[in-house]
Amino acid sequence: MFCFRITTLLLLVVTSTSQVGAKSWEQCRLWYDEPASKWGEALPIGNGRLGAMCFGGTLEERIQLNEESIWAGPPIPIDNSAMRGALDPVRKAWYAGEYARAHELLQSTMGERISPRSYQPLGDLRLKLVGTSGPVIDYRRFLDLDKAIATTTFKIDGAEYRRHVFASPVDDVIVVRFESDRAGSINLEVALDRQADYEVKAAAGEQLIMSGQAQHGGKHRGVRWLASLRGSSTGGEVRTETSKIIVRNADAATFYLAAATDYNRHQPAQPLDVDLESQCATTLDRAVKKGFAQLREDHVAAHRDLFRRVSLDLGSANASGIPTDDRLSQVQLGEADPALVALYFQYGRYLLISCSRPGCLPSNLQGLWNDKLEAPWNADYHLNINTQMHYWPAETTGLSECHTPLIDFTERLVPAGQKTARTMFGARGATAGHTTDAWLWTSLIGNLQYGMWPHGLAWNALHFAEHYRFTGDQVFLRQRAFPLLKEVSLFYVDYLSPHPKTGRLVAGPDTSPENLYRGTDHRSYSVSMGPSMSQQMIWEVFSATLEAAEVLGIDDEFVAEVRGAQEQLYLPQVGRDGRIMEWINEFDEPEPGHRHISHLFAVHPGRQYNRLDSPELLMAARKTIDYRLAHGGGHTGWSRAWIINFFARFGDGPQAHANVQALLAKSTLPNLFDTHPPFQIDGNFGATAGVAEMLLQSHIQREPPHGPYEIELLPALPAQAWPTGSVTGLRARGRYEVDVAWENGKLSTAMIKSHGGEHFWLRYGPIRKGFHIKPGEAVRVDAELNVWPR
């Protein structure tokens, strides 16, 4: 009888969800009433590997192109073995208060930072509409997030022109379709070019071929690449002419672009021996044979398979009739636009789908999109929060597959990380510094303030643990997560050393990412012993390792070693002013509003500080963030996004919402890209994760690793700002899918569907109840968490 009832409820909820989704999909558009005048106004498309920025021009259009693996090359940083011998002298000097001496000893042992060695653009596709000269009217360009298609429409001389651009994940091509409602009115000149280091030639079959090698003025020669563009038309003619494709008197024209490189993702130093031109030709042959209509249909279906898993309606009046940049301007003037927040949330999911599909490289600092030969920070993989932030929404917003590029990439870092652990630290296991790139190096490099931080691999390893918590995939846990956690834990066991006074194990020499403290000599320093973030991260890694070992039935000498180290681990303290101490000593802070808020790692993305296990530390963390913000914190886009997640974990909906508003008002470009400044995509993903955290949390687990997770509904809902709304398809740890609806700022109904989990606690406000359902079943509850209808 109970099972029949649950099945009936599931059918009812699915019907409701589809109705909510239809409304949500209609509003999933960015649109503008004029072309982009600069890159930060163009609209992004991508299939994980190929990307483009569409400017939406009329007589002349620029589509800026990217391919994920086009990186300038060696030499790359190498491990400095001198660090291994300096560790103990640095520790002794630091404990003695000789901070300048400690820094002097350590700086000379850092690896060399070699820059620029940048991720680079593929080039530009340029389309010139000729034979018409009248004024342009009825202009509009838009990005349909639900279809992943960028469209531009306008009229000239009474003819309506439409241009559609998409990057197919099915057929691995970028497709540009030019149409008109007047027969024979499409006359185009189409070209490929690049800023430097390329050549273009026309080839048989109405195509252009552009090729080159990523480099910086002849230095750092890296990945070789080739792009091939093929044109076809309905009516009229298509031909090549020197370095252009010419279209005359066509009813419609379609262009297919394929790209290939010699990048070897498993051994980057050994380029692939491939015929790039033949590889592109094969891809184009398949695409052209399939035809535009089928390409488009397959592309949309593949995209929606991921995108439509989650819908969000924040219950506001439909403002989609106002251009997106105008809506953003109104928010900057203090107006509220909940629908824009919902759009921004879905845009973050769209961007992750577009730049991080299975089999691809992970999202870099700019995702997939970059127009500069020397990108800011080389558009590399910053492992001291930025890269990880890109993947915060992957599991919670139903995009678990999009997590796999980071997982795959992290495993490829392990061999270099093992060498770095041995060479620079004399340690077992594996480690990585604060940054890396497509060449898979792990050395600690550059200035101590940013470079002396050996936790990049460990932070990534926690993503393996999270992937398991959401999916319950024990094969993944045994074959991939536990081996990496073991490597990282072994490094930590050897890297930790006893504090000379307490005997507790502390990390170091180390830093609190990019921040400084003031020593007794009133000078600023970065290197310390036992900074709070490091201690918190090590606690999380040890906990994840021990939980995985228990699930897998492993209890050997290694597990005992980790257990013993965690029992002796120094834990961060609360200072005299009630804040979490960032360092092991209570130092003055030269920059109290610093963008990194590293010592709250245990609040988010960690789970050590929570209201169940450590309410007093959560209170101290709240004082910490309040102090940071009072002194100018959150001034970069990604930092503001992190703050949204903190306040969500604090259960403070109004403050979480205030920081969502601040992110839109202060750190968002017209195309809704996040800006540091300059553009960095991490804030887009961090804010998307933050909105999900405001509506659903599941990080608290009772008696891990086997105890049930606590699923909390609307833990940080800003009731006044979003009084009515709904979300469908969010994921919770323990293998659950959750739909929630609320009215007048209070829960109305929720549905929890099991994708494998059987026991969970459900919480809404002070109400908490336990549930037991079978995999595949669902339960629907009312505001009192009673099963509904009864």
Side-chain angles (χ1 to χ4, degrees):
M1 181 66 180
F2 179 73
C3 292
F4 171 77
R5 181 182 185 187
I6 292 297
T7 303
T8 304
L9 290 173
L10 178 58
L11 291 173
L12 288 171
V13 174
V14 168
T15 301
S16 175
T17 298
S18 65
Q19 294 170 350
V20 171
K23 179 182 178 182
S24 176
W25 311 139
E26 291 172 2
Q27 298 186 30
C28 285
R29 281 189 176 189
L30 286 69
W31 80 271
Y32 305 82
D33 57 9
E34 59 185 8
S37 61
K38 50 191 174 183
W39 193 85
E41 297 173 354
L43 297 173
I45 62 164
N47 69 356
R49 189 179 74 87
L50 298 174
M53 294 289 286
C54 306
F55 282 67
T58 54
L59 298 181
E60 295 186 12
E61 165 66 327
R62 175 192 178 196
I63 300 175
Q64 186 264 310
L65 306 168
N66 285 104
E67 197 281 342
E68 64 170 358
S69 65
I70 299 178
W71 286 78
I76 62 175
I78 60 174
D79 301 328
N80 189 341
S81 61
M83 179 176 287
R84 186 171 64 244
L87 295 177
D88 281 340
V90 169
R91 289 165 179 155
K92 291 177 182 177
W94 193 87
Y95 283 127
E98 299 173 1
Y99 304 138
R101 176 62 176 161
H103 282 69
E104 178 184 352
L105 289 170
L106 195 58
Q107 181 62 69
S108 63
T109 72
M110 294 291 288
E112 179 186 0
R113 180 176 185 264
I114 305 173
S115 184
R117 289 189 320 95
S118 185
Y119 172 60
Q120 295 188 340
L122 173 62
D124 290 317
L125 168 59
R126 298 184 183 272
L127 301 95
K128 185 176 182 180
L129 182 63
V130 298
T132 185
S133 58
V136 175
I137 62 172
D138 295 342
Y139 177 89
R140 179 175 288 203
R141 64 185 173 101
F142 60 89
L143 176 62
D144 189 326
L145 305 184
D146 182 44
K147 296 177 181 175
I149 298 176
T151 298
T152 304
T153 65
F154 55 92
K155 290 180 180 179
I156 302 179
D157 292 334
E160 181 178 352
Y161 294 93
R162 297 177 299 279
R163 185 172 54 247
H164 309 286
V165 188
F166 61 87
S168 169
V170 179
D171 296 284
D172 203 19
V173 290
I174 291 176
V175 180
V176 182
R177 173 80 166 184
F178 216 128
E179 301 170 337
S180 173
D181 64 355
R182 178 181 294 170
S185 65
I186 294 180
N187 297 279
L188 297 169
E189 295 178 0
V190 182
L192 292 171
D193 65 21
R194 194 173 189 264
Q195 298 170 51
D197 309 315
Y198 76 103
E199 60 180 29
V200 179
K201 64 179 182 179
E206 294 77 46
Q207 66 181 7
L208 300 178
I209 295 174
M210 180 171 66
S211 60
Q213 184 176 19
Q215 58 186 284
H216 293 289
K219 298 180 180 179
H220 300 292
R221 292 182 179 273
V223 174
R224 294 183 182 275
W225 54 267
L226 182 142
S228 183
L229 178 71
R230 190 176 299 179
S232 66
S233 70
T234 302
E237 65 168 336
V238 180
R239 68 178 188 273
T240 55
E241 193 174 281
T242 59
S243 58
K244 295 181 180 179
I245 295 176
I246 306 297
V247 179
R248 290 291 179 262
N249 305 316
D251 303 330
T254 308
F255 302 93
Y256 309 85
L257 184 131
T261 76
D262 68 354
Y263 177 69
N264 184 342
R265 66 186 61 244
H266 298 289
Q267 293 181 301
Q270 299 178 19
L272 297 173
D273 183 13
V274 291
D275 184 333
L276 302 180
E277 187 170 338
S278 295
Q279 189 172 328
C280 286
T282 299
T283 301
L284 289 176
D285 287 344
R286 286 197 304 264
V288 173
K289 182 179 180 180
K290 181 180 280 192
F292 171 76
Q294 193 62 51
L295 282 168
R296 184 182 186 278
E297 182 178 336
D298 293 348
H299 157 73
V300 171
H303 175 72
R304 283 177 171 173
D305 180 58
L306 294 170
F307 186 76
R308 284 198 167 188
R309 292 177 183 176
V310 173
S311 70
L312 176 63
D313 179 0
L314 293 180
S316 64
N318 186 3
S320 59
I322 303 173
T324 303
D325 51 344
D326 290 344
R327 294 171 68 182
L328 186 63
S329 296
Q330 291 174 359
V331 171
Q332 292 167 348
L333 294 173
E335 296 293 324
D337 188 346
L340 184 62
V341 176
L343 180 66
Y344 190 90
F345 168 86
Q346 291 288 30
Y347 188 49
R349 298 182 65 248
Y350 166 86
L351 292 172
L352 190 60
I353 295 168
S354 300
C355 74
S356 185
R357 279 182 168 269
C360 297
L361 287 171
S363 169
N364 63 46
L365 271 180
Q366 297 190 188
L368 180 60
W369 303 277
N370 166 48
D371 66 333
K372 295 178 173 60
L373 294 177
E374 295 184 16
W377 297 282
N378 297 314
D380 61 15
Y381 300 107
H382 262 50
L383 303 180
N384 64 358
I385 186 171
N386 311 92
T387 296
Q388 293 88 353
M389 183 179 284
H390 295 192
Y391 291 91
W392 287 355
E395 301 293 343
T396 55
T397 71
L399 300 177
S400 188
E401 297 95 323
C402 296
H403 213 166
T404 58
L406 178 67
I407 290 168
D408 296 342
F409 182 81
T410 301
E411 289 178 324
R412 296 197 294 272
L413 288 174
V414 170
Q418 291 172 326
K419 182 175 179 292
T420 297
R422 290 193 307 270
T423 304
M424 300 191 79
F425 293 91
R428 297 170 295 169
T431 190
H434 83 289
T435 190
T436 187
D437 57 33
W439 302 97
L440 304 179
W441 52 275
T442 55
S443 306
L444 279 70
I445 62 163
N447 187 279
L448 293 173
Q449 183 175 352
Y450 60 79
M452 188 58 213
W453 191 81
H455 305 285
L457 198 64
W459 197 335
N460 282 14
L462 292 174
H463 279 255
F464 285 57
E466 282 288 80
H467 184 69
Y468 167 73
R469 290 167 184 154
F470 278 91
T471 66
D473 185 345
Q474 289 201 20
V475 174
F476 172 84
L477 184 68
R478 182 178 297 276
Q479 296 181 358
R480 305 185 71 179
F482 185 74
L484 179 63
L485 288 165
K486 182 175 182 179
E487 291 288 335
V488 173
S489 292
L490 283 171
F491 169 75
Y492 279 148
V493 167
D494 290 353
Y495 172 58
L496 293 167
S497 62
H499 189 283
K501 293 183 178 179
T502 67
R504 289 286 179 178
L505 296 177
V506 297
D510 206 341
T511 59
S512 186
E514 303 182 26
N515 204 1
L516 300 170
Y517 60 89
R518 186 172 288 118
T520 53
D521 58 0
H522 304 292
R523 294 172 60 186
S524 295
Y525 299 102
S526 56
V527 170
S528 70
M529 296 296 297
S532 293
M533 182 193 205
S534 302
Q535 301 299 126
Q536 293 166 357
M537 189 176 297
I538 294 169
W539 185 92
E540 293 279 356
V541 167
F542 283 169
S543 295
T545 302
L546 294 174
E547 290 169 19
E550 185 173 340
V551 170
L552 298 173
I554 300 172
D555 191 8
D556 54 16
E557 291 183 5
F558 159 72
V559 172
E561 194 173 15
V562 172
R563 186 179 296 114
Q566 186 176 44
E567 290 172 353
Q568 292 300 313
L569 189 67
Y570 166 81
L571 298 178
Q573 302 296 302
V574 176
R576 288 170 294 182
D577 60 0
R579 294 183 291 140
I580 302 292
M581 292 166 54
E582 187 162 359
W583 295 276
I584 204 167
N585 296 335
E586 287 197 77
F587 293 115
D588 289 335
E589 304 169 65
E591 190 181 349
H594 196 268
R595 62 193 176 278
H596 284 265
I597 314 167
S598 304
H599 46 319
L600 298 193
F601 180 89
V603 176
H604 186 280
R607 55 180 191 162
Q608 183 181 6
Y609 297 175
N610 61 72
R611 54 173 171 70
L612 178 66
D613 301 313
S614 47
E616 71 290 346
L617 292 174
L618 203 63
M619 184 180 299
R622 174 59 190 260
K623 290 184 178 180
T624 304
I625 193 65
D626 288 343
Y627 182 88
R628 205 60 140 204
L629 288 173
H631 290 80
H635 51 278
T636 66
W638 64 261
S639 180
R640 183 71 66 179
W642 198 1
I643 291 167
I644 297 168
N645 287 273
F646 287 143
F647 279 113
R649 289 280 172 97
F650 295 145
D652 190 333
Q655 280 301 309
H657 176 260
N659 282 279
V660 171
Q661 293 295 102
L663 181 72
L664 290 171
K666 299 178 181 180
S667 300
T668 303
L669 297 173
N671 65 356
L672 300 190
F673 270 171
D674 171 69
T675 180
H676 182 281
F679 164 56
Q680 280 185 200
I681 204 166
D682 35 27
N684 287 101
F685 298 133
T688 295
V691 171
E693 286 283 325
M694 293 166 72
L695 302 176
L696 182 75
Q697 292 178 22
S698 62
H699 58 288
I700 296 178
Q701 184 180 19
R702 295 170 181 269
E703 301 177 3
H706 300 293
Y709 287 92
E710 182 173 289
I711 299 172
E712 185 170 8
L713 307 174
L714 306 179
L717 178 71
Q720 290 188 340
W722 306 342
T724 300
S726 64
V727 64
T728 68
L730 291 180
R731 267 51 172 187
R733 294 165 184 83
R735 294 180 287 176
Y736 298 99
E737 179 179 341
V738 182
D739 300 348
V740 187
W742 64 95
E743 294 180 3
N744 299 318
K746 296 182 179 181
L747 175 69
S748 53
T749 64
M751 184 187 77
I752 299 87
K753 178 181 179 181
S754 169
H755 290 290
E758 297 184 6
H759 305 273
F760 64 93
W761 288 96
L762 194 60
R763 176 183 287 273
Y764 172 62
I767 306 171
R768 183 173 66 89
K769 295 183 179 182
F771 290 84
H772 176 200
I773 59 175
K774 296 179 180 179
E777 293 181 347
V779 59
R780 186 175 180 181
V781 299
D782 61 17
E784 301 297 321
L785 304 188
N786 296 315
V787 175
W788 182 86
R790 299 181 185 180

